[in-house]
Amino acid sequence: MKVYLVGGAVRDQLLGIADNNTEKDWIVVGSSSAEMLDLGYRQVGKDFPVFLHPGTQEEYALARLERKTSVGYKGFEFDTSNQVTLEQDLSRRDLTINAIAQEADELFDPFDGQDDLNNGILRHVSDAFNEDPVRALRVARFAARFKKFGFKVAHQTHQLMSQMVTSGEVDALTPERVFKELNKALSYETPSAFFKVLTACGAYQKVFPSLDNQAHQNHSNSFEFLDNLNTNKAHIKFSIWLKDEKRRNIKALCNTIKCPKQYQQLSELSSQFCQFAQGFTNQSSNEIFDFFIKTDALRRKDRFEDLLTVFQLLAIDIAPIKHLKDLLKDIDISKLDKLDIGKAIQIERRLIIDLFLKTTKK
């Protein structure tokens, strides 16, 4: 029985990345489920044996081979006999940079992953790459994560991704996995590469069919507005990504990929009011009153702050919006008519908006 550290932890170590979020994955060669259980590991895998270490709770998987049996990333049969070698296990992985194993200080790199790391290449290990549609998303996500290091997708890998789109393999992606990979990509500094890679191979239109794809036909220039934004909040970047989409398209997308309500609500509001906010002080009193009602600015404070952040990241001056919101929030209710307090508050807010506009336009 031998244990090797594999995948992201080895890759990031070789790249000199200190990332506490990188999980450690371990491969066990020459063992069995019975032996792992005897050693105190707890089995958690249903499709193939994965075990949690009794101390660290890190994942240990038996070395395995796989055979494609149907479409989708679950359409595989696995062989986890103790005869499976380390190289055989590494051969089924997606990219060469993720197919490096380490035991103590010794590296095992049968597919030249270190060369691809040094040359900034995202290259598939074998033609079996196109049997799992999730790999198309993962390559795009890695392109986003490592864009700052100058990584590019190998031409042959791009061709395989295009074949996955043509064959319909990409159609088997589950909503949960699409959102998971999208959300991770948006958490990086340069998420534009994720969308550009998917657009280049034709997967963008398949994965996000409800969106207006005409705007991104020239993938070499699109999506750059998402890079190096002064926020690490994925739902804010999600809203900026969709800022030019129609609300019905956003709703259809969010229903399809089953994203959290926080994402859908903020992106719909951003799409609806970005242009409005650009000319805020030129809007009518009624339009501004409706804006604060529809955004529920005074009750949903956190969401409204996120909306203002979206505006600000799009170079919109939010100072007048914030100032007016504060004026509306600080109404002295004790001085209003108590017989119909709701109506009295509305009247007072309209008076405040009218005065604000008169003062602003002087």
Side-chain angles (χ1 to χ4, degrees):
M1 172 180 171
K2 283 195 170 184
V3 178
Y4 301 88
L5 182 65
V6 296
V10 179
R11 177 200 66 224
D12 289 357
Q13 176 183 304
L14 292 172
L15 280 174
I17 299 174
D19 190 345
N20 295 328
N21 294 321
T22 301
E23 296 178 354
K24 287 186 176 181
D25 293 317
W26 304 85
I27 288 295
V28 182
V29 179
S31 185
S32 65
S33 295
E35 182 178 12
M36 297 294 286
L37 293 172
D38 287 343
L39 291 172
Y41 289 78
R42 180 165 59 88
Q43 185 169 346
V44 294
K46 295 180 180 179
D47 298 323
F48 52 85
V50 177
F51 302 85
L52 295 182
H53 188 281
T56 65
Q57 299 300 302
E58 291 172 344
E59 290 190 355
Y60 287 67
L62 294 180
R64 68 184 186 270
L65 291 173
E66 59 189 23
R67 182 173 66 86
K68 184 75 169 175
T69 58
S70 61
V71 297
Y73 74 97
K74 292 185 177 180
F76 294 91
E77 288 182 352
F78 299 98
D79 174 7
T80 57
S81 68
N82 58 14
Q83 303 302 313
V84 178
T85 67
L86 175 62
E87 183 169 342
Q88 286 175 320
D89 181 275
L90 294 176
S91 72
R92 66 169 181 79
R93 294 178 176 268
D94 52 4
L95 299 174
T96 60
I97 64 171
N98 295 329
I100 307 170
Q102 181 177 20
E103 183 190 29
D105 293 328
E106 187 175 2
L107 291 175
F108 299 85
D109 184 16
F111 303 103
D112 300 322
Q114 292 177 86
D115 287 345
D116 285 339
L117 277 176
N118 293 332
N119 294 320
I121 300 295
L122 299 172
R123 188 191 313 277
H124 62 284
V125 174
S126 74
D127 286 348
F129 172 92
N130 66 4
E131 295 178 349
D132 183 352
V134 173
R135 289 175 173 175
L137 293 178
R138 281 172 56 83
V139 169
R141 175 167 64 80
F142 285 130
R145 186 180 179 200
F146 298 132
K147 181 181 178 181
K148 61 184 177 183
F149 295 105
F151 273 72
K152 303 291 184 183
V153 180
H155 178 65
Q156 300 93 330
T157 304
H158 170 77
Q159 286 183 317
L160 281 180
M161 293 169 67
S162 297
Q163 290 174 19
M164 293 166 75
V165 173
T166 303
S167 69
E169 186 69 36
V170 166
D171 297 338
L173 285 167
T174 63
E176 294 79 9
R177 198 56 192 263
V178 169
F179 177 74
K180 180 179 179 181
E181 296 297 327
L182 167 64
N183 203 46
K184 285 183 178 180
L186 288 170
S187 72
Y188 303 144
E189 294 177 12
T190 52
S192 68
F194 175 79
F195 300 107
K196 289 163 73 173
V197 168
L198 292 181
T199 301
C201 71
Y204 185 93
Q205 295 86 343
K206 291 280 189 176
V207 177
F208 310 118
S210 65
L211 301 185
D212 180 7
N213 296 302
Q214 296 301 315
H216 308 298
Q217 292 302 308
N218 183 5
H219 65 269
S220 62
N221 296 318
S222 298
F223 308 108
E224 298 289 349
F225 59 87
L226 288 166
D227 290 347
N228 302 308
L229 294 173
N230 188 26
T231 181
N232 58 4
K233 294 181 178 180
H235 67 286
I236 288 179
K237 293 183 184 180
F238 182 88
S239 300
I240 292 175
W241 166 44
L242 299 174
K243 64 183 175 62
D244 295 323
E245 291 288 341
K246 295 181 175 62
R247 290 180 67 195
R248 65 173 180 271
N249 294 350
I250 295 172
K251 184 176 181 179
L253 169 70
C254 293
N255 287 339
T256 298
I257 65 175
K258 299 181 175 12
C259 67
K261 284 292 184 184
Q262 179 187 33
Y263 286 65
Q264 180 175 341
Q265 291 174 357
L266 183 62
S267 56
E268 287 186 1
L269 289 174
S270 300
S271 169
Q272 184 178 1
F273 289 113
C274 271
Q275 288 188 346
F276 177 90
Q278 285 179 326
F280 184 75
T281 55
N282 295 320
Q283 310 297 342
S284 70
S285 176
N286 285 337
E287 288 171 331
I288 290 177
F289 182 83
D290 287 343
F291 165 75
F292 282 104
I293 293 295
K294 290 176 180 177
T295 58
D296 207 0
L298 302 181
R299 293 193 307 170
R300 301 290 298 275
K301 297 177 183 178
D302 290 342
R303 190 180 70 183
F304 191 72
E305 284 300 316
D306 284 342
L307 182 61
L308 292 182
T309 299
V310 170
F311 293 161
Q312 190 171 33
L313 291 172
L314 292 172
I316 296 172
D317 181 11
I318 64 171
I321 304 175
K322 289 188 69 172
H323 177 59
L324 181 53
K325 186 204 77 168
D326 290 340
L327 293 175
L328 296 173
K329 178 187 61 151
D330 293 336
I331 290 175
D332 186 354
I333 297 178
S334 66
K335 296 181 179 180
L336 301 181
D337 182 2
K338 302 300 188 297
L339 294 177
D340 192 344
I341 191 64
K343 184 177 180 180
I345 290 174
Q346 287 194 13
I347 292 172
E348 183 67 16
R349 285 175 178 167
R350 287 185 180 277
L351 291 173
I352 289 172
I353 293 171
D354 288 340
L355 180 59
F356 168 82
L357 289 175
K358 287 178 182 177
T359 304
T360 303
K361 293 175 181 178
K362 280 185 178 180

